[in-house]
Amino acid sequence: MKNKLLIYSFWVTLSLINAAWAQSPSPAVAGNTGPVTLFSNVRIFDGKSDKLSAPSYVLVRGNVIEKISTTPIPTDRRADTVLIDGGGRTLMPGLIDMHWHAMLVRPTPDSALTDDVGYTNLAAGAEATDTLMRGFTTIRDLGGPVFGLKRAIDEGIVPGPRIFPCGAMITTTGGHGDFRELYMLPRKSGEPRSRVEQLGAAMIADSPDEVRLRVREQLTLGASQIKLMAGGGVASPHSPIDVTTFTEPELRAAVEAAENWGTYVTVHAYMPDTIQRSIAAGVKCIEHGHLMDEASAKLMADKKIWLSTQPFPSEMADVFPPGSTQREKFQEVLKGMDKMFRLAKKYSIKTAVGTDVLFSPALAKRQGQLLTILTRWYTPAEVLAMATSANAELLALSGLRNPYPGKLGTIQEGALADLLLVDGDPLTNIKLLGDPAKNFVVIMKDGKIYKDTLSK
Ligand SMILES: [Zn+2]
């Protein structure tokens, strides 16, 4: 009996703690105790400015940047206070990759479908640790069964970035992400779902009602935003790139279901028609956009629609076998890239950036270097602002579904402490991003130090 009472009171206490936690919208406040780190003599890139600050002190308490000052900040000298002398190095916000697939970096397209799921998750966990150690403290996951990995990272089981998950990409029969073989058609009623659906990597929906169901399932699983494949894609075997897949009512059903949960829909879209139909349906963000035209660019600017795009390197073609239709489609996308970035600049489209590395551990190692390709169109300061504060602005569209309330992508008092100490000035030498093992001497996420080569 006594035991039962104890267990009951423990449960009540836990519930109260949970309730208190739920009522406090910002862990930034709830976590504002705990370990203290003081950076001294750092020059700050704040996520926006094109100039570094004067030599400064930055105090991190718990998971929050508590104080920034050009004069020394006193600490209480607790034994566990970490003092980091920056030696004039640059302190910048952690990088954010807005188009990442944490579960699909290491496998090949075939092994993603056939490997043991436990193995897949462990490999993705190791890749997530590498991602964090490349200085990416946050990723927006644009498709894949990533909820378990996210939970393990958030619980501290495996080091990795913050994850804003979409869960399964929602597509149509024959759309991008429908990885069924042709012999599997037609789908018979009552037959088990295809492997890609069983894994939760993609879900096929062919009516507004089915779309609503699949969207609500992802939201229930913890999606912070919803991704629909509104047009054809490169990596799928049977999806021509020119096709616009979902109808406007289907897209609108997704938008309605997502907005009822206080979040938004982003769509995979290359072609002008796909972009325009998606915007008409209330979609807030376009992924890729590489084949956009003047009219769709102007529409995006007028309606303040986000472009979440990627500077693809030409070597990305090597992910696809020579002579394959996938490789051909990739070349077409690559051809559109210069025009897209010119249009994005001409119309001042709100632009977020990512890398969309799929099925290539080798390219993943170049994650930071891939961002530097953007200097063909933007200044280094613009690139760094996109990869930090602009990306964070788009993340915030998740509203109440944001798993990490608090300010990201910036160095200011009260913001979440995701920080990189860079050996050099990335505003004048953005190539520093290409060798994180050498150049990022401190990596902090949520106030916790994951790498520190200085204070030891
Ligand atoms: Zn993608």
Side-chain angles (χ1 to χ4, degrees):
M1 183 64 196
K2 202 177 162 198
N3 262 349
K4 262 194 182 158
L5 255 179
L6 258 180
I7 288 167
Y8 177 74
S9 71
F10 178 67
W11 182 82
V12 168
T13 312
L14 256 188
S15 314
L16 285 174
I17 290 170
N18 277 337
W21 194 259
Q23 276 163 14
S24 145
S26 169
V29 177
N32 202 5
T33 52
V36 175
T37 302
L38 179 64
F39 294 91
S40 58
N41 193 14
V42 292
R43 303 193 63 193
I44 299 167
F45 166 65
D46 64 2
K48 282 204 168 123
S49 171
D50 60 1
K51 286 188 188 60
L52 299 181
S53 73
S56 301
Y57 297 80
V58 176
L59 181 74
V60 174
R61 187 186 303 275
N63 65 345
V64 171
I65 299 167
E66 186 174 86
K67 193 167 170 57
I68 302 171
S69 174
T70 50
T71 55
I73 302 172
T75 65
D76 48 16
R77 290 274 169 186
R78 276 174 15 195
D80 58 353
T81 298
V82 178
L83 301 174
I84 297 176
D85 179 357
R89 293 177 182 86
T90 307
L91 194 68
M92 64 171 282
L95 295 166
I96 301 171
D97 192 322
M98 288 305 270
H99 195 123
W100 191 247
H101 299 273
M103 303 301 292
L104 303 174
V105 173
R106 291 206 179 174
T108 64
D110 281 344
S111 69
L113 293 174
T114 55
D115 277 342
D116 176 89
V117 174
Y119 171 83
T120 304
N121 274 281
L122 288 166
E127 182 56 45
T129 303
D130 286 359
T131 305
L132 177 62
M133 299 318 276
R134 290 192 290 267
F136 287 83
T137 49
T138 301
I139 59 114
R140 194 172 61 134
D141 197 280
L142 265 290
V146 78
F147 298 112
L149 174 65
K150 176 188 180 294
R151 179 178 165 186
I153 291 170
D154 291 346
E155 290 178 356
I157 294 170
V158 59
R162 302 176 192 271
I163 295 181
F164 282 71
C166 287
M169 323 168 222
I170 298 165
T171 190
T172 59
T173 291
H176 185 40
D178 177 356
F179 278 91
R180 288 175 297 178
E181 298 293 340
L182 294 179
Y183 74 84
M184 296 171 176
L185 302 181
R187 174 186 270 185
K188 293 154 213 74
S189 71
E191 99 182 333
R193 259 183 275 288
S194 64
R195 181 67 181 154
V196 72
E197 293 171 284
Q198 287 169 13
L199 290 168
M203 295 304 286
I204 297 166
D206 286 298
S207 70
D209 286 346
E210 280 185 12
V211 169
R212 249 186 298 272
L213 170 66
R214 297 310 175 204
V215 169
R216 287 174 181 157
E217 283 172 350
Q218 300 315 309
L219 291 165
T220 307
L221 288 165
S224 51
Q225 65 285 320
I226 292 296
K227 183 194 189 189
L228 262 64
M229 305 304 221
V234 171
S236 306
H238 311 299
S239 134
I241 195 103
D242 59 286
V243 169
T244 299
T245 45
F246 282 113
T247 62
E248 201 178 307
E250 286 166 340
L251 291 164
R252 208 177 290 121
V255 167
E256 199 185 0
E259 288 184 353
N260 285 341
W261 279 59
T263 185
Y264 67 98
V265 171
T266 188
V267 291
H268 164 104
Y270 286 111
M271 306 301 290
D273 286 356
T274 313
I275 294 170
Q276 294 186 16
R277 187 185 295 178
S278 301
I279 293 173
V283 164
K284 293 286 189 304
C285 179
I286 303 295
E287 302 299 319
H288 313 307
H290 293 71
L291 300 173
M292 71 167 61
D293 61 4
E294 195 94 22
S296 44
K298 191 169 179 317
L299 181 69
M300 288 183 70
D302 289 348
K303 301 265 184 186
K304 297 191 167 41
I305 304 301
W306 278 92
L307 172 66
S308 163
T309 194
Q310 308 84 32
F312 291 135
S314 50
E315 316 84 82
M316 207 174 220
D318 298 335
V319 174
F320 311 105
S324 64
T325 55
Q326 286 100 320
R327 200 174 171 110
E328 248 169 59
K329 288 191 279 185
F330 179 76
Q331 298 299 355
E332 200 181 331
V333 165
L334 205 58
K335 264 188 236 149
M337 193 162 75
D338 181 60
K339 184 178 168 193
M340 173 196 60
F341 279 118
R342 283 172 197 280
L343 287 170
K345 285 197 79 167
K346 178 176 172 188
Y347 290 102
S348 304
I349 297 174
K350 286 142 74 93
T351 306
V353 293
T355 58
D356 197 15
V357 170
L358 279 166
F359 311 127
S360 176
L363 269 179
K365 286 195 173 66
R366 292 172 50 193
Q367 192 177 6
Q369 186 263 327
L370 294 179
L371 294 181
T372 69
I373 299 172
L374 287 164
T375 52
R376 274 190 228 156
W377 303 278
Y378 300 93
T379 65
E382 286 172 327
V383 174
L384 291 167
M386 282 194 278
T388 54
S389 62
N391 281 355
E393 195 186 328
L394 174 51
L395 289 174
L397 270 196
S398 288
L400 291 173
R401 300 286 78 75
N402 178 347
Y404 314 101
K407 276 208 162 77
L408 290 171
T410 178
I411 298 188
Q412 63 186 87
E413 291 178 0
L416 293 169
D418 290 5
L419 300 169
L420 308 176
L421 187 61
V422 186
D423 194 8
D425 174 7
L427 288 176
T428 53
N429 181 15
I430 198 163
K431 290 205 168 80
L432 292 167
L433 266 55
D435 191 355
K438 176 163 172 270
N439 301 320
F440 296 168
V441 292
V442 176
I443 297 174
M444 171 183 276
K445 187 196 85 174
D446 209 36
K448 187 173 168 196
I449 294 169
Y450 288 87
K451 175 181 176 183
D452 175 6
T453 61
L454 292 182
S455 67
K456 276 160 208 157

